[in-house]
């Protein structure tokens, strides 16, 4: 049984940093994407970043490029999202997802992912 557990969320002031972690159990790294998504109240879930474990390719939403970094530690079966220069508009519930699309051009489609974590809240105050 695949289980994804996020951690690292919290409340920070604008300009601050947080590092989210997604620990995967029962999951075998493949050519499928692992991603981070977020959903703010009243808004649709949106892709934030994705990584392809085998090749290491990474993808980012334009809104977070240059501020967020996705990485992985295969030995720990963990994917990270380092978030710097946080803005109030980054406030959302952040979700880890696995078994996503093999095609990099589709990384941001949430329906392409088969496994999801329970989410971790990130709140950025101005």
């Amino acid at each position: 049984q695949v289980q994804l557990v996020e951690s690292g969320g919290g409340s920070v002031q604008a300009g601050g940093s947080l590092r989210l972690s997604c620990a995967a159990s029962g999951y075998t790294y493949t050519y499928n994407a692992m991603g981070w998504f977020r959903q703010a109240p009243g808004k649709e879930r949106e892709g934030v970043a994705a990584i392809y474990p085998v090749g290491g390719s990474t993808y980012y939403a334009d809104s977070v490029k240059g501020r967020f970094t996705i990485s992985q530690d295969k030995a720990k079966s963990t994917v990270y999202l380092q978030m710097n220069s946080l803005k109030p508009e980054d406030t959302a519930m952040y979700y880890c997802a696995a078994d996503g699309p093999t095609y990099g051009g589709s990384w941001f489609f949430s329906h392409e992912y088969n496994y999801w974590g329970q989410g971790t809240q990130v709140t950025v105050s101005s």
Side-chain angles (χ1 to χ4, degrees):
Q1 182 178 359
V2 175
Q3 188 173 15
L4 305 176
V5 179
E6 302 100 330
S7 61
S11 297
V12 296
Q13 291 191 326
S17 297
L18 285 172
R19 187 177 81 156
L20 306 184
S21 299
C22 172
S25 60
Y27 181 73
T28 301
Y29 284 116
T30 64
Y31 290 92
N32 298 75
M34 294 190 71
W36 285 97
F37 288 76
R38 66 186 181 187
Q39 188 167 19
K43 294 188 177 181
E44 292 187 356
R45 188 170 296 188
E46 64 172 353
V48 176
I51 187 167
Y52 283 78
V54 174
S57 297
T58 58
Y59 297 83
Y60 298 93
D62 288 343
S63 59
V64 306
K65 279 181 182 177
R67 301 188 298 123
F68 291 11
T69 303
I70 189 170
S71 62
Q72 61 179 343
D73 184 333
K74 292 182 181 178
K76 296 182 179 180
S77 298
T78 301
V79 175
Y80 303 97
L81 185 68
Q82 177 67 44
M83 305 186 296
N84 298 328
S85 302
L86 283 162
K87 304 176 181 179
E89 50 264 44
D90 294 318
T91 295
M93 184 71 79
Y94 283 70
Y95 298 90
C96 175
D99 196 27
T102 56
Y103 173 53
S106 301
W107 73 267
F108 48 87
F109 289 122
S110 60
H111 65 268
E112 297 275 0
Y113 292 77
N114 291 311
Y115 301 108
W116 292 85
Q118 82 288 350
T120 185
Q121 178 68 38
V122 171
T123 302
V124 185
S125 58
S126 57

